[in-house]
Structures are given as structure tokens and as C-alpha cells.
Amino acid sequence: MYQVRTRGYSKDNPEQRWALPDRVFFACGACHILAYAFIERYRPAAAKAVWIKPGPGFYGNHIFVQTPAWTFDYHGYSDPQALLDHFWRRARHWLPGWDGTLVEVSPDVLLSEAKSRTYDGLWLREPGQFLYNALPRARAYLDRFPAPR
């Protein structure tokens, strides 16, 4: 959902995208890779990858890890309802009337463009489709956060 609203920035420019600070990089198009790296490292019980799918006529996606007790994305850990409230509030700030649904996706989909396209409306970049492989960057970003309890 999040877009970099900086004059002269283009999501289609791989050098500009790669140069973004980590938090922005994983908020603006690489959230699925961070979710995969989290599940790969910790394999938390009851965790699932969740896609916020925009409603018809809207854009804005986000993928995060969810358990009954917490969620994880580029923010770190948060209360599940707090994350959703935050996302909906920000989406509606930029796109009045925005709505979406939650869709559980298999972790293997997070690293495969072809598998992601089997979900109506989902089209994810693979780690190697960034300027450099984004998976090592996601693994390093995880080091900033404690392991889940």
C-alpha cells in the first residue's frame, strides 16, 4: 500500500528502489519477502502469511505475518487489530472509501511470481527481480527485532 511520495522517485527504477532505507523498502514493495524471511527463520506455530487484497477499483497491497496474538511486518511486532486499523486508516487517507479483504497465502507463494499470479489480483516480485537479491536484505533486517515469544 505504501508508496514513496518523493518527487522524482519511480518504483520502476531499480537503483532508486534499492537505495531506499530498509524500513521504506520493506513497506513499499518488498513486504512479502520480509514475511517469507520471518517465517523461514522462526517457523512460529500458528503463523500465516496474510495478504491485504484491495477491493475492486482500488490499489494497495500489503503482506504480513499473523498469529492470534501478534502480527509482524516492517514495523516489527504489533497487535493484529492495531495493524489492520492502521493500514485501513492510511489507505483511506489516500484513497477515500478504500476497502480490502484478508487472504491467507502459502509461504512458497511469497518468493514466486508464477505462484503469486495464481491468486486473483496478486503479482509479486521474486527476490532476484530487484536490483540485487532482496532475501539476504530481509534476513538482515530481521536481526533488528527479537525472536517471537
Side-chain angles (χ1 to χ4, degrees):
M1 173 64 210
Y2 295 96
Q3 297 181 11
V4 177
R5 298 189 182 275
T6 302
R7 179 175 256 172
Y9 173 80
S10 168
K11 284 181 90 168
D12 295 327
N13 181 317
E15 289 85 9
Q16 285 181 333
R17 176 175 269 198
W18 192 261
L20 292 170
D22 287 338
R23 183 178 164 115
V24 178
F25 181 77
F26 292 112
C28 299
C31 56
H32 60 290
I33 296 170
L34 182 62
Y36 178 87
F38 186 92
I39 291 170
E40 171 192 55
R41 179 179 290 181
Y42 297 117
R43 302 189 192 288
K48 56 187 176 183
V50 178
W51 169 38
I52 300 176
K53 178 182 180 180
F58 291 104
Y59 62 89
N61 294 274
H62 188 48
I63 293 178
F64 59 95
V65 178
Q66 181 176 2
T67 72
W70 50 261
T71 57
F72 181 86
D73 71 351
Y74 69 93
H75 293 105
Y77 297 95
S78 44
D79 172 79
Q81 192 58 52
L83 177 74
L84 296 175
D85 290 347
H86 170 75
F87 187 88
W88 256 254
R89 187 174 51 256
R90 295 297 296 159
R92 289 178 175 162
H93 171 80
W94 296 109
L95 302 165
W98 188 95
D99 203 10
T101 57
L102 302 179
V103 179
E104 183 176 345
V105 296
S106 174
D108 65 321
V109 166
L110 302 176
L111 297 186
S112 170
E113 178 183 351
K115 289 179 182 178
S116 75
R117 297 200 62 184
T118 65
Y119 290 76
D120 182 40
L122 188 60
W123 186 352
L124 301 174
R125 290 178 188 250
E126 296 181 9
Q129 292 174 320
F130 291 84
L131 182 62
Y132 304 105
N133 187 332
L135 190 53
R137 185 172 177 176
R139 290 172 177 146
Y141 187 69
L142 285 178
D143 293 340
R144 299 178 186 183
F145 302 96
R149 292 186 250 177

